[in-house]
């Protein structure tokens, strides 16, 4: 699932279904997302380091996965399509 500003940029629906080869990881899901929507390259991850942008968070199964290793397998519920992998724009300030 994508936040509103990334949906506007990409023209994608709120929920995007992706085919990922092998066991899905954050890195593989984001690679597939950027392959389908090239205009998102550099918005979620830095294009050189491939690290998550500071104000982007990842959630699945009510867990914050933002600081997990991007090559760690995602929860089984995400792989099965029962739970979404959420890309969320983080808030800052007061």
């Amino acid at each position: 699932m994508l936040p509103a500003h990334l949906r506007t940029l990409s023209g994608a629906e709120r929920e995007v279904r992706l085919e990922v080869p092998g066991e899905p990881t954050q890195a593989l899901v984001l690679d597939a997302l950027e392959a389908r929507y090239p205009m998102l390259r550099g918005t979620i991850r830095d294009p050189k380091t491939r690290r998550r942008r500071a104000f982007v968070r990842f959630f699945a199964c009510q867990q914050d996965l933002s600081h997990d290793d991007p090559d760690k397998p995602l929860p089984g519920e995400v792989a099965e399509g029962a739970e979404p992998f959420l890309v969320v724009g983080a808030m800052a300030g007061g």
Side-chain angles (χ1 to χ4, degrees), residues 31-72:
D31 287 346
L33 182 66
E34 290 172 347
R36 183 180 293 171
Y37 301 102
M39 65 287 294
L40 294 180
R41 288 187 187 130
T43 62
I44 299 171
R45 301 182 289 185
D46 181 276
K48 291 182 183 173
T49 66
R50 315 273 293 157
R51 294 183 61 142
R52 171 185 62 85
R53 295 275 184 194
F55 290 101
V56 175
R57 306 293 269 178
F58 305 131
F59 292 89
C61 302
Q62 300 181 9
Q63 298 174 33
D64 184 348
L65 306 177
S66 304
H67 298 289
D68 285 4
D69 180 340
D71 295 317
K72 177 183 174 185

Side-chain angles (χ1 to χ4, degrees), residues 2 6-7 15 17 21 23 27 29 36 38 45 50 67 74 77 79 85 88:
L2 294 173
L6 294 181
R7 288 194 312 265
E15 184 174 326
R17 292 203 172 261
E23 191 168 22
V29 168
R36 183 180 293 171
R45 301 182 289 185
R50 315 273 293 157
H67 298 289
L74 292 172
E77 296 88 351
F85 176 72
V88 178

